[in-house]
Amino acid sequence: MASSVLISDTEPWKDLKAHVADINKTHLRDLMNDVKRSQLMTNEFDGILLDYSRQRATPETLEKLFKLAEAASLKEKINRMFGGEHINSTENRSVLHVALRAPRDAVIQSDGKNVVPDVWEVLDKIQKFSESIRSGSWVGATGKALKDVIAVGIGGSFLGPLFVHTALQTDPEAIETARGRQLHFLANVDPIDVARNIAGLNPETTLVVVVSKTFTTAETMLNARTLREWISSSLGPDAVAKHMVAVSTNLTLVEKFGIDPNNAFAFWDWVGGRYSVCSAVGVLPLSLQYGFSVVEKFLKGASSIDQHFCSTPFEKNIPVLLGLLSLWNVSFLGYPARAILPYSQALEKFAPHIQQVSMESNGKGVSIEGVILPFETGEIDFGEPGTNGQHSFYQLIHQGRVIPCDFIGVVKSQQPVYLKGT
Ligand SMILES: O=P(O)(O)OC[C@H]1O[C@](O)(CO)[C@@H](O)[C@@H]1O
């Protein structure tokens, strides 16, 4: 497709537009009676089962969506991303968050350089540092071990790490490795958030991790200054070197702030802030709390789905299928919202994380060439764990508006409770 042609001007788009009338004649109840269709519309990878048979779509819809993906050169675009090309055209940068979780021996190039060794240099540094804090070989200004961590950051420097922390909190292995330690997140500029975070904490046993890609974000810098004052007014200004570390792409500003550059953990401009959870942004605070080996499993899981996304034909490719169905729902069927409904309290912070990842990326009114789009883009994501949501907003979903829902179930709970007789 020539870059100046809008996707909505292509034949596959027009074909899908016409197809909406066919779908409007069907009822989901009848679609679900078609056993073959239901079997076709499931897919499994690495313990994840995607069942999209309850979408208002047929195998014919899928065929048409794959043709649209072809017209949009989706496969080429995926290859260009993994190949380190500058697909972030507004900032003229690679988009390589996938390199953050690549195995040590992988080769991923950006601007003619394999970036994987740089990634592992930082991961090794995090492992060493987090072990020294956890073992008590690194102590605070008064000689006490640092058992509590406050991670200061906002947006992508907060939501991803908070999501993973919340998910790990009730994992049996992570409970053991986190024993005796606390991890807090300070994001809001409202001083109430500072007050809540430091309540009950002692600066003598607290490590502050300032997390900011740019190291200029107003909320984060104000909160960082507030905590620097909290430490130095209690332990003296020299204590900052022992009690504050940073994660950033801007190591010059980190040093200017007064944090020893040796205690700064780098990442790179080819990592979008909202996709940075697998960089030091997430790996440092989570390793301090749970140990590096627990966090490494998370990186391996992310890497596994990267490989699936990169190499699986679209018919079986879970991220591609989810993306195409979202486009179908928003831009063709006209459903603006999507509810994310995990039936697991451990996934409590999943919807806020996805909200940023999706809505900070896809809510655009213009094409990549700056042409005004004649159709709606991007979905409004919201969600809450079931069953809590059932007693709140499900009423509107049942009887008011049509809202496509992603139900997420777990087969084996982290914390199974079986009550006899129920
Ligand atoms: O990590 P930083 O540079 O402090 O930015 C925080 C957040 O601010 C934004 O740039 C815009 O709100 C997000 O994309 C980002 O995650």
Side-chain angles (χ1 to χ4, degrees), residues 147-191:
K147 58 184 184 50
D148 303 316
V149 170
I150 306 178
V152 184
I154 199 163
S157 295
F158 158 60
L159 291 163
L162 176 68
F163 153 57
V164 181
H165 171 54
T166 312
L168 284 176
Q169 260 174 333
T170 37
D171 171 79
E173 182 188 348
I175 289 173
E176 286 310 315
T177 59
R179 212 167 277 289
R181 308 196 60 83
Q182 289 184 70
L183 174 59
H184 295 255
F185 289 91
L186 170 57
N188 202 328
V189 74
D190 180 345

Side-chain angles (χ1 to χ4, degrees), residues 152-159 211-221 247-249 267 272-276 281 356 360:
V152 184
I154 199 163
S157 295
F158 158 60
L159 291 163
V211 185
S212 174
K213 181 176 171 180
T214 54
F215 230 69
T216 56
T217 305
E219 295 92 332
T220 299
M221 296 328 295
V247 175
S248 186
T249 59
F267 66 115
R274 54 193 173 274
Y275 308 113
S276 64
V281 165
Q356 190 204 11
E360 209 178 45

Side-chain angles (χ1 to χ4, degrees), residues 13-27:
W13 184 281
K14 289 175 193 163
D15 194 25
L16 275 161
K17 271 275 170 212
H19 179 61
V20 172
D22 305 334
I23 292 296
N24 281 341
K25 283 185 220 139
T26 64
H27 193 285

Side-chain angles (χ1 to χ4, degrees), residues 1 3 72-90 92-98 108-111 309-310 368-369:
M1 190 179 67
S3 61
S73 308
L74 181 58
K75 183 66 197 148
E76 289 76 9
K77 285 175 180 163
I78 293 171
N79 290 341
R80 288 180 61 208
M81 183 180 91
F82 279 86
E85 288 188 37
H86 285 198
I87 62 165
N88 173 351
S89 53
T90 45
N92 193 24
R93 289 174 183 169
S94 313
V95 177
L96 280 180
H97 47 279
V98 291
I108 300 179
Q109 306 273 356
S110 175
D111 299 319
F309 173 57
C310 178
I368 202 151
E369 290 83 25

Side-chain angles (χ1 to χ4, degrees), residues 247-404:
V247 175
S248 186
T249 59
N250 194 337
L251 300 182
T252 311
L253 287 187
V254 169
E255 192 171 1
K256 250 190 182 165
F257 181 87
I259 291 175
D260 182 346
N262 292 321
N263 302 332
F265 297 83
F267 66 115
W268 306 272
D269 66 2
W270 41 260
V271 182
R274 54 193 173 274
Y275 308 113
S276 64
V277 62
C278 292
S279 72
V281 165
V283 177
L284 178 62
L286 294 166
S287 295
L288 288 164
Q289 177 69 3
Y290 299 106
F292 183 77
S293 60
V294 169
V295 184
E296 202 179 3
K297 289 186 193 172
F298 168 66
L299 296 180
K300 283 189 178 154
S303 175
S304 161
I305 203 82
D306 288 340
Q307 292 317 312
H308 168 82
F309 173 57
C310 178
S311 57
T312 308
F314 287 174
E315 291 74 13
K316 294 276 169 206
N317 191 316
I318 291 178
V320 168
L321 286 166
L322 287 171
L324 291 174
L325 288 166
S326 159
L327 180 74
W328 171 242
N329 285 327
V330 174
S331 300
F332 293 93
L333 296 183
Y335 303 137
R338 171 180 62 168
I340 299 169
L341 308 169
Y343 277 69
S344 165
Q345 195 62 25
L347 299 179
E348 188 188 355
K349 297 294 177 187
F350 185 54
H353 173 47
I354 295 301
Q355 246 167 4
Q356 190 204 11
V357 169
S358 162
M359 291 166 78
E360 209 178 45
S361 301
N362 294 329
K364 309 290 181 207
V366 295
S367 75
I368 202 151
E369 290 83 25
V371 181
I372 291 176
L373 296 173
F375 55 91
E376 302 277 0
T377 68
E379 66 211 355
I380 303 159
D381 290 304
F382 71 102
E384 191 65 37
T387 55
N388 295 8
Q390 284 175 213
H391 294 272
S392 167
F393 53 80
Y394 276 37
Q395 186 74 19
L396 182 115
I397 300 177
H398 283 309
Q399 296 180 12
R401 292 165 178 271
V402 178
I403 299 177

